Amino acid sequence: MASVPPEGASAAPGVRLDLLDRRLLFVTGKGGVGKTTVASSLALLAAGAATASAGTVYTETNSAGANAVQIFQSASDGSLSLAATVSTGGLGTGAGLGNQGALALSGDDRYLYAVNAGSNEISAFTVSDAGLTLVDRVPSGGTHPISVTTHGRLVYVLNSGDSGNISGFHVGPDGHLRPISGSSRPLSSATAGPAEVSFSPDGSTLVVTEKALNQFAIYTVEDDVPSAPVTRASSRTALSPRRSSWHVARQ
């Protein structure tokens, strides 16, 4: 995949900015990213990459009555059109979650995972050209799940209810989720105010942003099970961290 040039620079001749070729995740609705913002961002990208082909954008409604994943098709000009709405089989909350990462797409684009914050579940879908197919719905290992992450055959969910915890699952060959024994770990504090859980690129680390404490809880993953958390303060002292990002150093 071609890299996006630095701000103020232009792409080299023949280099295609192909973000729009890929399946993308955005969370919209109350407390999420607005559809207008999503459309505008994609349009700006497409303005510099007219040759980019259409892609797929997934969002989650977090509706209290019946949670659902919405599937949008993105055109090469960045415009979005709603193609389908697929029920998660669970419930949202109908209110802002103060989170990031309510949806997670597997690295091979075969599976999509969604949190159901209102019914304390995770939904698993298979992904194909025909759309999404719900294949499993399981308890999240806690209450009020707000974020999910995946690496290989592992899925971890962040539960923000009660004292908060993370909990892990193995992905079966059919996409079904099996709880990993002994994988649940508490957050660094019952007052952490978590926002997101994410895997490092190599799958060796899980990080939870704890916005109420302005810090990150870091878990080392061995044999698919995380360690107890260690904490690192956020460098942005004026803002509570909601999202972590990974920067891979190249030698």
Side-chain angles (χ1 to χ4, degrees):
M1 180 174 179
S3 60
V4 178
E7 185 176 357
S10 58
V15 173
R16 183 166 57 90
L17 305 181
D18 55 356
L19 175 62
L20 293 177
D21 288 340
R22 302 180 63 84
R23 301 180 191 275
L24 306 175
L25 295 180
F26 292 97
V27 179
T28 66
K30 296 180 180 179
V33 179
K35 295 182 183 69
T36 300
T37 303
V38 173
S40 299
S41 298
L42 289 174
L44 288 172
L45 173 69
T51 59
S53 61
T56 305
V57 176
Y58 300 107
T59 73
E60 188 174 42
T61 65
N62 191 37
S63 297
N67 196 17
V69 174
Q70 292 182 315
I71 306 173
F72 289 83
Q73 295 301 317
S74 61
S76 58
D77 63 356
S79 61
L80 296 176
S81 59
L82 180 62
T85 298
V86 182
S87 173
T88 66
L91 305 176
T93 66
L97 298 177
N99 69 325
Q100 296 283 348
L103 296 172
L105 187 66
S106 63
D108 58 7
D109 290 352
R110 292 180 59 195
Y111 302 107
L112 180 73
Y113 307 102
V115 299
N116 297 300
S119 53
N120 305 322
E121 298 166 319
I122 310 170
S123 295
F125 299 86
T126 55
V127 180
S128 69
D129 291 339
L132 299 178
T133 301
L134 180 65
V135 293
D136 205 2
R137 191 175 84 250
V138 297
S140 66
T143 60
H144 204 252
I146 60 172
S147 182
V148 62
T149 187
T150 181
H151 183 273
R153 289 293 179 177
L154 293 178
V155 169
Y156 267 81
V157 62
L158 170 62
N159 294 292
S160 65
D162 298 326
S163 297
N165 72 298
I166 60 172
S167 193
F169 302 82
H170 282 133
V171 181
D174 54 1
H176 284 71
L177 298 174
R178 301 189 306 272
I180 301 173
S181 177
S183 66
S184 292
R185 292 290 182 270
L187 306 182
S188 73
S189 168
T191 59
E196 182 191 37
V197 62
S198 62
F199 268 111
S200 61
D202 64 0
S204 66
T205 305
L206 283 163
V207 173
V208 173
T209 55
E210 298 184 332
K211 59 182 186 290
L213 301 178
N214 199 37
Q215 66 184 18
F216 302 93
I218 302 169
Y219 304 79
T220 299
V221 180
E222 294 184 359
D223 297 325
D224 299 343
V225 175
S227 65
V230 297
T231 60
R232 295 281 179 86
S234 170
S235 60
R236 302 183 66 183
T237 56
L239 296 174
S240 299
R242 291 199 180 196
R243 185 172 183 84
S244 58
S245 61
W246 294 95
H247 210 43
V248 179
R250 295 184 179 179
Q251 300 295 329

